[in-house]
Amino acid sequence: MVASSAVKCYRFLMKHLPLEFAKEALQYDSETGLIVWRERPIHHFKSERAQKSFNSKFAGKPAGGLERHGYVVIGLNDWVYKGHRIAWLITHGEMPQFELDHINGDRSDNRLCNLRHVDHGDNLRNCKRPKNNRSGHVGVIWHRGGRKWMAYVTARGERHHLGLHDTIEAAVNARSKAQIELGFHANHGRAG
């Protein structure tokens, strides 16, 4: 039950999902990250026939599916919610105020130990290496004009130049030191 339009995929931010309704509809296993449909009560449906049909097809089965960015999404009453936000709601009793970071970078891994509640800036400090990266290291590029390796880091919207270096190792070390000072997650820059 995944939404068909891209716009609908992001409506989850606008619609409040009541905790009790979520707990009646879904079961979350914090150890595996799996969200499964429960046998849903009659008041979730317009008719008894719709309830019986849904429960016979889906009760006990994994809820939702993967969307194009790799997140688990679950359709519930004409709204689409991201699975990690539902997992947080069921576990903590409220939707997260900010973003949820998948610590290991796997957007479909909704185990509670893999989710951390962060602001947007913290979430950006735990990203995988971009696909177009040529050096193999985030924030390290070959500077043609200077014919050296250049290191830089972007944090809180500002780009910081970390110098030109004779070797790639020196540039990587400069970048690593800056990442630590700026509070980047240890997984930042992982292969993706």
Side-chain angles (χ1 to χ4, degrees):
M1 297 182 60
V2 177
S4 59
S5 72
V7 173
K8 197 170 183 182
C9 285
Y10 298 100
R11 286 177 32 181
F12 73 92
L13 290 172
M14 297 181 278
K15 178 70 175 167
H16 174 70
L17 178 61
L19 174 62
E20 288 309 311
F21 188 89
K23 284 184 169 182
E24 288 174 348
L26 300 160
Q27 179 177 343
Y28 169 63
D29 183 336
S30 63
E31 295 292 316
T32 65
L34 191 62
I35 301 171
V36 175
W37 289 112
R38 290 185 183 273
E39 193 162 306
R40 294 172 62 193
I42 186 68
H43 68 270
H44 285 210
F45 300 92
K46 292 180 181 175
S47 69
E48 187 176 332
R49 181 178 178 190
Q51 177 206 22
K52 286 181 180 179
S53 175
F54 180 91
N55 287 336
S56 68
K57 289 179 190 174
F58 299 108
K61 294 183 180 163
L66 291 181
E67 50 93 269
R68 66 186 179 111
H69 298 291
Y71 292 103
V72 173
V73 290
I74 299 169
L76 198 54
N77 292 352
D78 297 325
W79 292 88
V80 176
Y81 300 90
K82 289 193 176 175
H84 57 282
R85 297 182 72 81
I86 289 176
W88 193 269
L89 169 67
I90 290 172
T91 302
H92 295 287
E94 61 184 16
M95 280 288 194
Q97 265 189 306
F98 302 111
E99 296 179 19
L100 290 178
D101 178 30
H102 288 83
I103 296 167
N104 68 5
D106 180 352
R107 294 172 174 170
S108 66
D109 182 354
N110 292 325
R111 292 174 299 136
L112 193 59
C113 66
N114 189 44
L115 300 176
R116 65 182 186 133
H117 191 220
V118 296
D119 64 23
H120 185 65
D122 283 336
N123 203 4
L124 289 175
R125 289 190 287 275
N126 183 19
C127 295
K128 63 185 177 182
R129 187 172 56 233
K131 291 178 183 176
N132 64 350
N133 180 287
R134 292 185 183 174
S135 72
H137 304 278
V138 174
V140 175
I141 60 173
W142 179 250
H143 189 276
R144 284 189 216 150
R147 305 209 33 90
K148 293 186 178 203
W149 291 98
M150 182 176 84
Y152 67 91
V153 65
T154 303
R156 297 176 189 90
E158 290 184 38
R159 186 171 177 159
H160 305 274
H161 180 70
L162 304 172
L164 295 174
H165 305 271
D166 292 329
T167 66
I168 192 169
E169 292 81 12
V172 169
N173 286 339
R175 169 62 192 223
S176 295
K177 182 180 174 189
Q179 279 186 197
I180 292 168
E181 290 172 1
L182 293 168
F184 279 65
H185 193 277
N187 288 345
H188 184 78
R190 67 193 168 274

